[in-house]
Amino acid sequence: SDSKILIDNMLESEELSRSVRSGIVQQAGGNPFFIEEVVRSFIDEAAVVRCDNGFEIAGKINSIVIPSTINDVLIARLDRLETQTRELVKIASVVGRIFFGRVIKDVAESIDNIDDRLEHLKDAQLINDRTSMQELEYQFRHPLVQETAYGTILITQRKVLHLKVARSIEKLFQERRNEFYGILAYHYNHGEYLEKTEEYLIKAGEESLRTSASREALIYFQKALKLFLDKYGDSADLGKLIALEKNIALASCQKGLLADGLKYYDRVLERLEAHSSGSRMGTRARFVNDLLVVICRLYFPSRKAKRDPDRREKEIFETTMKRNETLVIADTGRAFSSMIRLLRTSNAFDITKTVNGFRLWVGTGTVFSYMGVSFRVAKKFIERSAEMVDKGKVEDVIAYNNSYAMYKYCAGSWNGMNGYDEDLIDNCLKSGAMFYIVPYSWSVGLLKVEQGNFAEAEIIIDKLFNIAENYDHYQAKLVALGLKSHLLFKSRDFLGAERSADERFSLAGELDVTIAQLAALGHKIMIKSMLDDVDAAAGLISRAEDMIAVCGRLPPYCIARYRTGRFINDMSVLRKVTGSERSADVRMLKKRARQSGGKALENVRKYAPSSTFTYKLMGDYFWLVEKQGKAMKYWSRAIVVGERMGARPDLSRTCFEVGKRMLDPGSRYRKLNGIDANGYLEKAVTLFEEMGLERDLEDLKRFRNT
């Protein structure tokens, strides 16, 4: 019925015979484009004639055979065109679905009256026109029109036309050639001019990287590499091969495909013969020695002038540095030892003469913070790198801001930390400096969540999701999901937090980013434990432990949630048997909970953001095992630290817990730090209201009513 309506509407008439209408409907099979082209073919053949009131149906329509396929319809329409007009359509199909007027006129110089012929093709509704980039351009109304016309050209003629189109674009758009690198590569490839194809594929990849189009860059570089290897094989020029593989690594990392990026960086370093080998014991001894030398250089820098690095040293240094930056996200344990090794080996020359010299210093400070090795040393690295940063380079600025934000966040030194600089992010996107956007957003976003500035955190999350969508950036989505999960957990939307954690876990598995999988599992463990689903939490804990066992050294952030989640779950199990007659079970469960709490406390020394929550949990544990003095001690510590850092969600819930316990009939305490139960409850109410934590306010209201 829809097909019949479309036919009548196009003809502005219901006079078409039932047999013809039914024939069209049957052949079209519901394809509206087929119907449109059949009706237009009637007009071409004068079976339907334009008149003042629309169209009139001519008698010859009943003798027309309706083609069986859309391809037959289009070929018939093209065949009815005048010879030169038909040739113009063929040339246009080689240029592309969209073609500039200047290009088609230049390539089809042997055809006369081109403007009139283009107007005729518009009237026949085979093409449309519009103005783009201050140029008149045309577009085939449907891709099938272009494909059909292209298919009628002999292969040898196609090659000639593709080369003519490429040379025309080079000539006509010489000043804007960078906008056409991808198109030029396409035409030279189809013209089988391989040297030019390779040249423009590489240029297109470089231009795409510059504009943060990582997906397109990756495609261009991979095509260029395949073309290069197919052409030269084992005799390929090593320098060119290395340059292509480095660009593939960079594009992969900027797209968030870290495992692929690392594979190509490692391949480049192997080609440069820059990988070291040795026994495990020897490697450990070398690392300790390297670390001591680097720390000495940090605190007692040499004033002696150093030589410039040679070409090979530069190549190895810059490739290793980019690989290390990727490792910081993908495998932080390896990144730490590799950063230290690079600092040691680069002592022979002046690293400021390399592209990434500054970023080695600032990146090492980041790793010291992120791995919780030493916040004091991290601060020293950041101070040294501040002297080296080029404020005119947006990539240097965000690298420094990222390291500073990471240090402040992980160390729990949140006073004076700058807000989220969206202008800086936008400038990085414009210049193609994608790498540090995600970790910088992660640090600032987590801080906003921990301080209860949820609206500001949502702005960062939305920004990351937009980057993920607009730039096809997987790591941006991974971090956005992690921030969203944490925000929902802190605001007590456990089901929403679990959904985000599940999505993050799945994506991290696809990307082979284990630390993100562990962080997502940690969220799920905490959620299940908070919901008192101890069996589900136990299963997740077992999965996390299996992953941790094969991961080596992990950043404290990565295992903080796993450890606090396990502690919560152990307390939930203990709570269920407390007061029962199974005294042996109670003793064992007390010990297990105490041990898991100790592990969580141990992690606090290396990752300060979890300190308020962990101290609060320790207070809960000691109250549960009837050691009220120790409980008050840890709650007091949680309040002091929470107030110092501004960790409002955890601080407010600690105040609520203290107020509740003081009103417990069995409580021996009526005040803590000079404040009574009502004082703490009022403080909790104030904080809950400031942050819009409605669930907590309802819980507090129910408590007061009871």
Side-chain angles (χ1 to χ4, degrees), residues 3 23-32 34-35:
S3 297
I24 298 172
V25 172
Q26 183 178 358
Q27 295 288 55
N31 183 335
F34 191 118
I35 294 168

Side-chain angles (χ1 to χ4, degrees), residues 56-71:
E56 288 183 356
I57 310 300
K60 67 181 294 187
I61 198 165
N62 294 311
S63 62
I64 287 180
V65 177
I66 299 170
S68 58
T69 67
I70 184 64
N71 192 58

